[in-house]
Amino acid sequence: MKGIHIAEPLQLKLIELDKPVPKENEALIKVKSAGICGSDINAYRGTNPLVSYPRTIGHEIAGEVISIPPNEQGIRPGDKVIVDPYLYCGKCYPCSLNRTNCCEHLQVLGVHTDGGMVEYFCHPAHMLVKAPDDMPWDIMCMAEPLTIALHGLHRSRLARGEHIAIIGAGAIGLLAALAAIHYGAVPIVIDILQERLEQARQFGVPHVINSSREDAVREVAAITKGRMAEVVLEASGANPAVRMTLDLVSHAGRIALTGWPKQETSLPTDVITKKEVDIVGSRTSVGEFAEAVDLIYTGKVDVRKLLTKVVSMDEAVDAMVDIERNPNRYLKVNVLL
């Protein structure tokens, strides 16, 4: 079978692999679509410190079940499924709280262990989510990035009518904005790329701010009539953006940190105390796949708006190289097998 493989940084190839054989309690899946994520591009660049090499990439995966053992979800051969790619130990303290997304021994497909951008893939049967039979393949794999956005909204306890300042107009930030609109909140998307902000506006985001041209703090104050944003979601991973969250958040507000900075960020703890801000980390997702599937299938969150391009497996390597060279041209690229 074919697979997208990184032997070492900047060494990306379409290679031939042996078709896998499922182990006990595993399903065999014929992969139908796989999303190209920013973490895949960083793995290709060699800038993701969590990735070990060589590595078969891919963690945004949808496919058809070929074989599966008896399972609680009632999934059978022929069903459409989405892969939950966060392998957990089930024994550590976070797992005992059902916060398996921050398991002490977390293994993410395509990062710590080989992923699913292949023609056939084996995965634990209990970590599959059934999708409707008529859900289109090209957008099914976007359930995974939507769960990341949803997890950030849940961690920040976003409520109807609240303003949420979202820093970063990439796929996660824009999905968070679309989900926030669906749930009755008011997103304010902040970025330094005007093209991304124009896209956000076209998607129906009511407020956008170019922080390289405008004073983001002053603009958020004007939008919220001085209160500032009750919720701030940091989805860029830039150190200045992490610092800016404390200026954008209201007194008694909440901050969710979804971006992953490569260096430590200094924060003024006096501001945190003065405003009595709740700050939470938000890593991957847990239990949000069913919600994501429903939002996509019903069109409540139109993920197709973000889909820049669909490519074949044979075109995937060239697509990833071009995304790495010209990231601003792309929001989301999916591989359709």
Side-chain angles (χ1 to χ4, degrees):
M1 68 173 185
K2 296 176 181 178
I4 305 298
H5 187 77
I6 304 176
E8 58 185 64
L10 302 179
Q11 297 295 319
L12 178 70
K13 291 183 178 180
L14 177 66
I15 66 170
E16 288 290 331
L17 298 163
D18 292 334
K19 183 178 175 180
V21 177
K23 300 174 184 176
E24 186 179 4
N25 298 321
E26 284 189 340
L28 176 63
I29 302 157
K30 183 175 177 60
V31 178
K32 292 290 190 176
S33 64
I36 298 174
C37 175
S39 65
D40 296 322
I41 302 302
N42 288 333
Y44 167 56
R45 288 183 182 133
T47 56
N48 186 338
L50 300 178
V51 176
S52 57
Y53 302 92
R55 180 65 60 225
T56 302
I57 60 170
H59 63 272
E60 302 176 5
I61 309 159
E64 178 187 344
V65 175
I66 303 300
S67 66
I68 190 169
N71 58 90
E72 293 183 357
Q73 309 97 298
I75 296 172
R76 299 178 179 181
D79 284 346
K80 289 185 173 183
V81 293
I82 297 162
V83 169
D84 182 338
Y86 314 122
L87 301 171
Y88 56 90
C89 74
K91 299 176 182 178
C92 67
Y93 175 63
C95 286
S96 74
L97 303 176
N98 199 33
R99 293 178 62 179
T100 55
N101 60 307
C102 54
C103 168
E104 294 174 12
H105 310 287
L106 191 70
Q107 299 277 296
V108 179
L109 299 184
V111 177
H112 308 91
T113 189
D114 283 339
M117 203 172 287
V118 292
E119 292 182 294
Y120 292 91
F121 189 66
C122 293
H123 199 64
H126 71 280
M127 297 190 69
L128 298 175
V129 179
K130 191 177 184 308
D133 292 339
D134 58 346
M135 190 170 184
W137 287 118
D138 62 336
I139 58 172
M140 269 181 63
C141 59
M142 292 178 73
E144 191 278 339
L146 180 54
T147 69
I148 307 293
L150 292 172
H151 191 63
L153 301 187
H154 297 159
R155 289 282 287 156
S156 65
R157 308 189 310 279
L158 180 68
R160 178 176 294 275
E162 291 186 321
H163 293 87
I164 175 170
I166 300 170
I167 308 176
I172 302 302
L174 291 176
L175 287 170
L178 293 177
I181 291 171
H182 168 67
Y183 286 124
V186 183
I188 306 166
V189 173
I190 302 168
D191 206 299
I192 59 174
L193 297 175
Q194 190 61 31
E195 305 95 308
R196 290 286 178 88
L197 295 173
E198 292 301 328
Q199 286 178 310
R201 199 185 296 277
Q202 292 170 12
F203 296 169
V205 175
H207 305 286
V208 299
I209 299 170
N210 187 324
S211 56
S212 69
R213 303 178 185 177
E214 304 168 274
D215 184 330
V217 176
R218 184 176 62 193
E219 294 298 320
V220 170
I223 293 166
T224 61
K225 296 180 171 55
R227 175 180 290 185
M228 305 306 292
E230 295 93 337
V231 173
V232 180
L233 178 69
E234 204 301 296
S236 75
N239 295 96
V242 175
R243 170 60 187 86
M244 185 168 61
T245 62
L246 289 172
D247 299 325
L248 300 178
V249 73
S250 68
H251 286 248
R254 290 99 66 200
I255 296 171
L257 302 176
T258 296
W260 200 305
K262 295 178 176 59
Q263 296 178 335
E264 185 176 308
T265 306
S266 296
L267 296 176
T269 58
D270 59 323
V271 175
I272 298 172
T273 303
K274 178 183 178 182
K275 289 187 172 182
E276 199 173 55
V277 179
D278 292 350
I279 302 177
V280 296
S282 181
R283 183 180 185 184
T284 64
S285 66
V286 58
E288 279 102 354
F289 269 92
E291 179 184 4
V293 170
D294 175 69
L295 292 176
I296 293 172
Y297 181 68
T298 59
K300 295 170 184 172
V301 172
D302 186 359
V303 298
R304 199 176 291 282
K305 290 178 177 178
L306 279 72
L307 189 55
T308 307
K309 190 176 183 180
V310 174
V311 300
S312 68
M313 181 73 100
D314 290 335
E315 298 168 320
V317 169
D318 288 341
M320 288 187 63
V321 170
D322 197 51
I323 294 169
E324 194 279 328
R325 292 174 179 170
N326 304 287
N328 297 339
R329 294 181 183 176
Y330 301 91
L331 258 179
K332 204 76 190 71
V333 176
N334 292 340
V335 180
L336 195 61
L337 283 75

